């Protein structure tokens, strides 16, 4: 179906429902994802604890993504997205009450993070599958750009609100407010039409997984891109935690200032979400992904080098712009190149691969930070990211149209 004959995305009920639900999910996610490490820092004043918490965030992807992918191809994706949202609301709500009562021990942040991110990942794969099966191929980049930009739109207000809640209200509100948002997100998801299971007949996990694996391995560009993203995500995960620690511990930024800094950076992501389809048309999908990885490395180096908040904000605007372009490019190519019946399994397999190095890299970053100057460690992650971009440029990824 051509873009000319396709109705506007806003007139497509599945996309409209997903957009409304994702808006609240994005805002709540931006609040709690910044709040959790900041609250843990206030309790422990430990970079290692923050790094370990960040590592736990990726364990559901690494350990369970392939199972989730097979499951998503079997079930009603809308209903399971709702159930995952309700579970996230319950988990954060209970922990907000425990934190308010002074009964939230530091170690409880680790199982909380694991369970919330598990539910978040179920929601994400369901959303990707719903977009794949409902949006015409010619509109996939535009749809992913709009959905992806929501996270950057609320990166303007979410981190700022999170910092303000911690600094001037009460830390437990930075968990309770997202819980309420996830409840509303689940309610809005009801606008998405419920569809039957994606598969019929006998269900055998290994056979279903093997079909997804063959689809992934049969696409050389997607296979190579997956391993490039493995390297890039490892560097990006470490860089994010190191910068958060540097800004809070070495530069002395308050939670409110840190929230404002991340909020300013979201402007670049908003711009990227609105114009990524034009960037793809001008550069080609593969070149866009490669250049995004290389420019992201430059942004990481700037975060290590600059001390002034204004320069840091400018560098993060650019970095956010290229990160969104790169992410949308990866998501769109995976959707375009994968049959609808296999999208859950391929998303699960690539999701596991994408996060393969992140827990180890984050733990290693925390260990190295004890004996290595923080700026040198951050510059090393920037060089690592640049290497991933160079590999992408030399692979088949660059030739993807």
């Amino acid at each position: 179906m051509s873009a000319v004959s396709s109705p506007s995305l806003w007139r497509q009920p599945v996309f409209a429902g997903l957009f409304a639900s994702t808006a609240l999910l994005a805002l709540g996610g931006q609040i709690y994802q910044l709040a959790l490490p900041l609250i843990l820092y206030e309790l422990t004043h430990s970079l290692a604890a923050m790094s370990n918490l960040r590592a736990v965030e990726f364990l559901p992807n690494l350990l369970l993504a392939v199972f989730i992918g097979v499951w998503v191809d079997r079930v009603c994706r809308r209903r399971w997205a709702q159930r995952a949202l309700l579970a996230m609301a319950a988990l954060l709500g209970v922990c907000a009450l425990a934190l308010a009562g002074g009964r939230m021990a530091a170690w409880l942040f680790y199982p909380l993070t694991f369970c919330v991110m598990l539910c978040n990942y179920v929601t994400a794969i369901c959303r990707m599958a719903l977009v794949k099966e409902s949006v015409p191929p010619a509109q996939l980049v535009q749809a992913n750009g709009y959905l992806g930009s929501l996270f950057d739109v609320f990166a303007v207000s979410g981190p700022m609100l999170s910092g303000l809640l911690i600094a001037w209200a009460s830390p437990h509100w930075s968990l309770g407010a997202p819980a309420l948002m996830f409840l509303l997100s689940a309610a809005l998801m009801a606008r998405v039409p419920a569809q039957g299971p994606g598969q019929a007949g006998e269900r055998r996990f290994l056979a279903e997984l093997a079909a997804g694996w063959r689809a992934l391995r049969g696409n050389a560009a997607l296979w190579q891109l997956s391993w490039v993203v493995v390297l890039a995500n490892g560097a990006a995960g470490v860089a994010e935690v190191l910068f958060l620690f540097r800004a809070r511990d070495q530069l002395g930024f308050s939670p409110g200032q840190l929230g404002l800094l991340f909020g300013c950076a979201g402007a670049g992501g908003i711009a990227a979400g609105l114009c990524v389809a034009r960037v793809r048309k001008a550069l080609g999908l593969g070149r866009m992904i490669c250049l995004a990885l290389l420019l992201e490395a430059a942004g990481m180096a700037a975060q290590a080098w600059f001390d002034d908040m204004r320069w840091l904000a400018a560098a993060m605007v650019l970095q956010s712009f290229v990160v969104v372009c790169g992410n949308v490019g990866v998501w769109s190519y995976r959707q375009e190149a994968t049959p609808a019946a296999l999208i859950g399994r391929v998303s699960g397999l690539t999701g596991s691969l994408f996060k393969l190095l992140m827990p180890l890299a984050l733990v290693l970053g925390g260990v190295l930070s004890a004996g290595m100057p923080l700026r040198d460690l951050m510059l090393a992650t920037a060089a690592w990211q640049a290497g991933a971009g160079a590999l992408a440029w030399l692979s088949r990824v660059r030739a993807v149209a």
Side-chain angles (χ1 to χ4, degrees), residues 24 33 46 69 72 82 101 133 172 195 217 231 236 240 282 307 334-335 347 367 369 374 377-378 387 389:
L24 283 169
Q33 286 180 21
S46 168
V72 165
Q82 283 183 296
E133 69 187 15
H172 70 269
Q195 300 181 7
R217 287 291 286 116
L231 297 175
E240 182 179 346
D307 296 333
R334 180 171 59 187
Q335 288 172 324
S347 296
V367 171
S369 66
L374 188 59
L377 187 55
M378 293 179 71

Side-chain angles (χ1 to χ4, degrees), residues 180-203:
L180 295 175
M181 292 174 191
F182 296 151
L183 279 175
L184 291 174
S185 179
L188 287 171
M189 183 68 75
R191 297 177 57 190
V192 178
Q195 300 181 7
Q199 293 181 191
E202 184 180 1
R203 295 171 174 176

Side-chain angles (χ1 to χ4, degrees), residues 336-361:
E336 291 173 2
T338 305
L342 297 171
I343 188 64
R345 279 163 280 179
V346 172
S347 296
L349 286 165
T350 53
S352 288
L353 287 175
F354 288 174
K355 302 301 187 289
L356 190 62
L357 277 183
M358 292 190 83
L360 177 61

Side-chain angles (χ1 to χ4, degrees), residues 62 121 212-213 215-234 289-290 293 326 329-331 333-335 337-338 345-358 384 388 391-392 395-398 400:
L62 181 62
Y121 192 67
W213 178 260
L216 174 60
R217 287 291 286 116
N219 185 331
L222 182 59
W223 177 249
Q224 293 174 3
L225 176 60
S226 297
W227 288 103
V228 167
V229 175
V230 169
L231 297 175
N233 278 352
I289 293 171
C290 295
L293 292 169
V330 173
W331 301 335
Y333 181 61
R334 180 171 59 187
Q335 288 172 324
T338 305
R345 279 163 280 179
V346 172
S347 296
L349 286 165
T350 53
S352 288
L353 287 175
F354 288 174
K355 302 301 187 289
L356 190 62
L357 277 183
M358 292 190 83
W384 179 356
L391 285 175
S395 72
R396 295 190 181 185
V397 175
R398 184 175 54 147
V400 173

Side-chain angles (χ1 to χ4, degrees), residues 152 156 262-272 317 320-321:
D152 294 281
V156 174
F262 277 94
C264 292
I270 295 170
V317 167
S320 181
F321 182 93

Side-chain angles (χ1 to χ4, degrees), residues 52-390:
N52 291 338
L53 183 71
R54 184 67 172 154
V56 169
E57 288 185 21
F58 303 107
L59 288 179
N61 294 42
L62 181 62
L63 301 177
L64 301 174
V66 294
F67 301 96
I68 296 170
V70 172
W71 181 254
V72 165
D73 281 338
R74 291 179 174 182
V75 300
C76 175
R77 289 148 178 174
R78 190 264 277 173
R79 291 194 181 99
W80 277 93
Q82 283 183 296
R83 291 166 184 168
L85 287 166
L86 291 172
M88 291 169 70
L91 287 165
L92 289 175
V94 169
C95 290
L97 293 174
L99 190 63
R103 299 185 298 273
M104 187 71 179
W107 68 268
L108 288 173
F109 281 83
Y110 298 105
L112 168 66
T113 298
F114 181 90
C115 294
V116 171
M117 293 308 296
L118 172 61
C119 296
N120 188 49
Y121 192 67
V122 171
T123 303
I125 290 193
C126 289
R127 183 175 64 247
M128 289 179 188
L130 287 167
V131 171
K132 166 67 179 178
E133 69 187 15
S134 62
V135 175
Q139 292 178 303
L140 280 176
V141 170
Q142 185 181 31
N144 284 320
Y146 286 153
L147 290 171
S149 67
L150 278 173
F151 293 89
D152 294 281
V153 168
F154 293 117
V156 174
S157 55
M160 187 187 306
L161 181 57
S162 183
L164 293 177
L165 286 171
I166 293 172
W168 294 320
S170 181
H172 70 269
W173 277 110
S174 60
L175 301 182
L180 295 175
M181 292 174 191
F182 296 151
L183 279 175
L184 291 174
S185 179
L188 287 171
M189 183 68 75
R191 297 177 57 190
V192 178
Q195 300 181 7
Q199 293 181 191
E202 184 180 1
R203 295 171 174 176
R204 294 181 298 167
F205 174 80
L206 290 179
E208 294 171 53
L209 183 61
W213 178 260
R214 287 193 297 271
L216 174 60
R217 287 291 286 116
N219 185 331
L222 182 59
W223 177 249
Q224 293 174 3
L225 176 60
S226 297
W227 288 103
V228 167
V229 175
V230 169
L231 297 175
N233 278 352
V238 175
E240 182 179 346
V241 173
L242 293 179
F243 175 71
L244 189 62
F245 184 80
R246 178 174 185 254
R248 190 75 177 91
D249 194 72
Q250 293 190 351
L251 301 181
F253 293 160
S254 68
Q257 288 176 307
L258 195 57
L260 180 62
L261 184 63
F262 277 94
C264 292
I270 295 170
L274 295 175
C275 68
V276 65
R278 292 193 291 273
V279 175
R280 186 252 177 97
K281 184 177 180 180
L283 297 176
L285 194 60
R287 288 176 181 268
M288 181 179 76
I289 293 171
C290 295
L291 290 174
L293 292 169
L294 292 169
L295 290 173
E296 186 179 357
M300 291 179 184
Q303 289 179 352
W305 195 259
F306 293 132
D307 296 333
D308 185 81
M309 189 170 179
R310 292 167 296 180
W311 284 106
L312 285 170
M316 291 176 70
V317 167
L318 172 62
Q319 184 177 4
S320 181
F321 182 93
V322 299
V323 166
V324 170
C325 286
N327 287 343
V328 169
V330 173
W331 301 335
S332 298
Y333 181 61
R334 180 171 59 187
Q335 288 172 324
E336 291 173 2
T338 305
L342 297 171
I343 188 64
R345 279 163 280 179
V346 172
S347 296
L349 286 165
T350 53
S352 288
L353 287 175
F354 288 174
K355 302 301 187 289
L356 190 62
L357 277 183
M358 292 190 83
L360 177 61
L362 286 162
V363 172
L364 182 61
V367 171
L368 291 176
S369 66
M372 184 176 181
L374 188 59
R375 175 172 286 177
D376 292 348
L377 187 55
M378 293 179 71
L379 289 173
T381 63
W384 179 356
Q385 175 76 15

